[in-house]
Amino acid sequence: MSHPRVDVVLLTMNDRPEQEKTAQATLLAQRGVDLRICVVGNGCVPDIVPSDAHTVVLEENVGIPGGRNAGARALTESGRPGDYLFFLDNDATFPTDDVLARLLAEADHHPEAAYVQPRLTGPDDATTPRRWVPRLRAGDPSRPGVITTMTEGIVLVRRDAFDAVGGWEASLFAYEGLDLAYRCWSAGWSGWYAADLRMHHPVTSPTRHAQFHRLAARNRIAVAYRNLPASLIPAYLTTWTAITLARSARHGGIRDSLQGMREGWALRHAQARRPMSWRTAWRLTTAGRPPVISTPAHPRSIRSPAGGTP
C-alpha cells in the first residue's frame, strides 16, 4: 500500500545531541507516511543522521531560513520530491506515531491552506504559552481555525505553494514565518491551525541569545516593506513600534530593539517589494488579523537564530 510522501528538513548545529536523537527517533517512528529526510548542518557536518537520509553541509551558519531552503532544494534535486515539506526543529518531538499522517489528513480536508500548523505544547502535552498560538485570540489554544501567521519551526507546507512563493526569505536570517505566511496569502492560499494535533517542544526563552531583540525588530520592518501596500506600512509600523517599546521597557532589550529598528529602517528600500493586493489585505482582515495589527515577538517566544529552538 502506498503512503503519501513527505520531505522533512531538519537543521542542526550539533549543539543538542540528546534532544536531536529523540527528535529523530520520534520522526522515524511515524507511520502511514513515506519520509525523505534531509539533515542540514548549518555551519557544521551533522553528527546525527538517520540511515538513508540526505545531508547538506553548509560551510557557515546562513541562518534558519537559508538552511531550510538548502534542505528543501536538496530534496528536490534528488528527484521525485514529495507533495509536502515538513520543517522540524531538532529539539521537537512527536508524542504519537500518527501525527504526520493526521496532519496530512488535515491538509487534504483544507485544500485552500498552504500550511498546516499543529498545536505546540511543552513536554507535558498540555502547556501551550500564548506566544505559541498562531493567532491573535490566543486564550484558547485548543480552538482550531484559519491562521495568518505560523510557528515556523514545526509546520507542514505544500510543496507547490512553497515553490511558487520562493520558499523562505534567507536575508531575514531568523524569525521568518510571518513573511512566508504573507506571501502564501498573497498567492491565494491561507493557513490552518490543527489544534487537536500536538507536537512537543521545550519551553525556553530566546532572550539568552544576543540577536533576538535586534533581529526581531529589524525583520518586522523588512517584512512590512516586502509585503504590505505602501499606505498600510505607516499604520503597521506605528502599532508594532509602540507595542515593542512598551514590552521592551517591561522585559528588557530596548537598546537592541532600537538598534534593530535603525537597521531595518536603513535597509528598507533594499527589500524586494511584492506588496499584497487589497483583496489579500481584506482576506487577512476577515480572517481576524488586519495587516495593520502586529503582535511583536514576545521576549520568550522565538527560536534561536542558530539553527533550532533555544
Side-chain angles (χ1 to χ4, degrees):
M1 177 181 177
S2 62
H3 297 301
R5 300 175 64 243
V6 182
D7 289 345
V8 181
V9 178
L10 186 150
L11 267 63
T12 186
M13 294 185 72
N14 295 331
D15 54 347
R16 45 175 71 96
E18 294 305 316
Q19 289 175 312
E20 191 163 332
K21 288 178 184 177
T22 302
Q24 292 190 15
T26 63
L27 169 63
L28 294 172
Q30 294 300 294
R31 57 182 176 82
V33 295
D34 288 335
L35 299 176
R36 293 196 315 163
I37 302 169
C38 183
V39 180
V40 180
N42 215 355
C44 66
V45 178
D47 288 336
I48 305 169
V49 180
S51 176
D52 299 325
H54 299 267
T55 303
V56 172
V57 177
L58 301 174
E59 293 185 359
E60 61 182 12
N61 177 9
V62 300
I64 296 174
R68 288 186 177 136
N69 284 343
R73 184 166 53 250
L75 289 167
T76 297
E77 293 172 351
S78 68
R80 297 184 62 243
D83 292 333
Y84 294 91
L85 285 157
F86 188 75
F87 296 96
L88 178 66
D89 276 353
N90 67 346
D91 55 354
T93 57
F94 297 85
T96 61
D97 61 7
D98 62 349
V99 173
L100 263 182
R102 293 173 65 194
L103 275 175
L104 291 172
E106 287 284 328
D108 286 343
H109 191 62
H110 298 280
E112 73 287 352
Y115 55 95
V116 178
Q117 183 82 63
R119 175 181 171 184
L120 195 58
T121 78
D124 63 0
D125 199 48
T127 302
T128 301
R130 291 176 64 89
R131 62 186 182 267
W132 283 354
V133 182
R135 48 179 163 75
L136 288 178
R137 292 179 294 171
D140 180 9
S142 65
R143 180 169 59 86
V146 175
I147 52 174
T148 62
T149 184
M150 67 173 69
T151 306
E152 61 268 23
I154 304 170
V155 64
L156 181 75
V157 186
R158 294 183 193 274
R159 167 73 78 163
D160 55 352
F162 183 83
D163 290 342
V165 302
W168 305 99
E169 175 52 39
S171 68
L172 298 178
F173 196 78
Y175 320 139
E176 65 278 14
L178 181 60
D179 180 76
L180 181 60
Y182 272 171
R183 285 185 285 122
C184 287
W185 277 78
S186 289
W189 300 87
S190 63
W192 182 257
Y193 176 47
D196 59 337
L197 298 179
R198 291 175 173 81
M199 289 284 295
H200 291 173
H201 192 285
V203 181
T204 52
S205 170
T207 54
R208 65 191 186 196
H209 300 284
Q211 299 183 81
F212 165 71
H213 292 288
R214 180 181 66 83
L215 288 179
R218 184 200 70 176
N219 288 358
R220 282 289 181 161
I221 295 174
V223 168
Y225 271 83
R226 284 172 52 80
N227 294 284
L228 297 185
S231 59
L232 292 183
I233 293 173
Y236 179 97
L237 293 182
T238 297
T239 303
W240 170 79
T241 300
I243 299 173
T244 296
L245 293 179
R247 287 186 170 177
S248 295
R250 291 197 304 269
H251 302 290
I254 191 166
R255 179 177 297 179
D256 290 335
S257 293
L258 289 172
Q259 180 185 348
M261 290 179 191
R262 287 193 295 269
E263 290 180 15
W265 189 256
L267 297 172
R268 67 192 187 283
H269 293 306
Q271 301 300 322
R273 289 268 299 153
R274 301 183 186 88
M276 65 180 64
S277 67
W278 285 105
R279 180 177 182 275
T280 297
W282 177 247
R283 291 176 61 229
L284 289 168
T285 301
T286 58
R289 195 185 189 108
V292 294
I293 296 178
S294 172
T295 302
H298 191 278
R300 298 180 181 274
S301 68
I302 298 187
R303 302 182 329 281
S304 160
T309 50

